[in-house]
Amino acid sequence: MRRLLQSLLLKLTGLGLLRITLFSDTYLRYVKPGLRPVLIASGVVLLLLGIVAAFSRTGNGGHAHDGPASGGPDGHASDAHDGHMDGAHEAHAHDGHEGHDGHDHSATPKIAWLLVLPALSLLLFAPPALGAYTAARSGAEPVAVQKKGFEPLPATSPLPLTLTEFTKRVQQDRSRAIQGRTVRLTGFVTPDATGEGWYLTRIIFSCCAADSQTVKIHVYGSGSAEPPAADTWLAVTGTWHPAGTLGTTSAPAALDARLTTPIAQPINAFTDDLPITPG
């Protein structure tokens, strides 16, 4: 029974990994795209191990020795020794049987079958991606300092920027090139607990969901009395919300929204790059 459970867990986990990597892009909810080959290889290995475990035997129990034993040329000394050991073993087994009330303690505990549930969920129902719930409970990470000078901004209007680029321009660009410029930012909605606007958010994977970081832009105004629903992906067009001193850290990464447009979740949702939309 124990070997059956081990085999089942290995096969279910392997099949689950293959399902989310070979037949969908669900794996992008949890890891960066570059880890896809590693996940496929892991799924194949786990599936093969499960198949091998299902067909393997239960160790060395129950096999018999043929021919004379090594105790002597004709095996007589070994036979006597074996007879003595067999009798002792039977007596010990009988005593142990009585001491344990006939229970077989080598069987798999019933509670161990609960381990099948997470493996089965990976196969049938993949856990949801990180979103507004996670972002609302994590502070925005400070952006890296721009060591080189800033290039002049293109004349494009609205100007597409990532949330990180916008934050750097607001807080680090002494030329204040972002002032008065209409920009277009993309992310998902995270509610503001204070009720003053909401956050346009991107969650960034360095490697996987466990080491994710959050970038947020505070958005004021959205063309409606109610803020957009949490986890809605939007393209937001607007201008910097003036406060503090532009070009310094006293200036908030905030936007006065003029237009919000719902979009499909980008393929590169867990980066802070310009969006690559499906289709």
Side-chain angles (χ1 to χ4, degrees):
M1 186 65 74
R2 183 173 299 172
R3 187 169 295 274
L4 173 63
L5 178 60
Q6 293 171 348
S7 172
L8 183 61
L9 288 174
L10 288 169
K11 287 186 286 189
L12 286 177
T13 306
L15 288 172
L17 285 175
L18 294 177
R19 185 185 77 83
I20 66 174
T21 52
L22 287 178
F23 304 107
S24 72
D25 59 1
T26 306
Y27 74 98
L28 293 175
R29 299 178 185 178
Y30 321 117
V31 298
K32 297 184 72 172
L35 292 177
R36 183 171 183 258
V38 177
L39 290 178
I40 293 174
S42 300
V44 171
V45 169
L46 289 173
L47 182 58
L48 291 177
L49 287 174
I51 294 172
V52 170
F55 287 96
S56 64
R57 299 302 178 185
T58 57
N60 296 325
H63 71 278
H65 294 286
D66 295 329
S70 58
D74 56 359
H76 291 297
S78 178
D79 289 344
H81 177 73
D82 289 345
H84 174 74
M85 293 301 294
D86 288 345
H89 176 74
E90 289 175 3
H92 175 75
H94 180 70
D95 293 341
H97 178 76
E98 291 180 349
H100 291 282
D101 299 325
H103 294 294
D104 182 8
H105 292 275
S106 65
T108 303
K110 292 181 179 180
I111 196 171
W113 286 97
L114 293 177
L115 295 172
V116 173
L117 296 180
L120 197 60
S121 68
L122 185 63
L123 181 61
L124 301 178
F125 177 76
L130 300 183
Y133 180 87
T134 301
R137 287 157 179 77
S138 61
E141 296 290 331
V143 298
V145 175
Q146 181 86 7
K147 295 182 179 180
K148 298 181 180 180
F150 288 89
E151 297 289 333
L153 288 174
T156 306
S157 185
L159 177 64
L161 292 175
T162 68
L163 305 193
T164 299
E165 289 171 341
F166 179 77
T167 302
K168 285 184 177 181
R169 287 286 183 173
V170 168
Q171 298 182 343
Q172 300 178 25
D173 185 3
R174 300 287 181 173
S175 70
R176 304 182 180 182
I178 200 69
Q179 189 168 26
R181 292 297 304 271
T182 301
V183 298
R184 189 172 190 262
L185 310 178
T186 303
F188 64 86
V189 176
T190 299
D192 181 2
T194 65
E196 298 181 0
W198 44 277
Y199 291 99
L200 191 67
T201 313
R202 295 294 289 262
I203 292 177
I204 306 168
F205 289 175
S206 298
C207 173
C208 60
D211 62 8
S212 62
Q213 298 180 345
T214 304
V215 182
K216 299 178 183 177
I217 303 296
H218 204 160
V219 179
Y220 295 92
S222 59
S224 63
E226 296 295 328
D231 289 315
T232 303
W233 278 87
L234 297 174
V236 182
T237 302
T239 56
W240 173 65
H241 177 79
T245 302
L246 187 60
T248 70
T249 54
S250 68
L255 193 73
D256 286 328
R258 297 179 180 175
L259 176 67
T260 59
T261 306
I263 63 170
Q265 178 175 309
I267 296 173
N268 58 340
F270 294 102
T271 68
D272 189 26
D273 299 324
L274 295 179
I276 301 173
T277 54

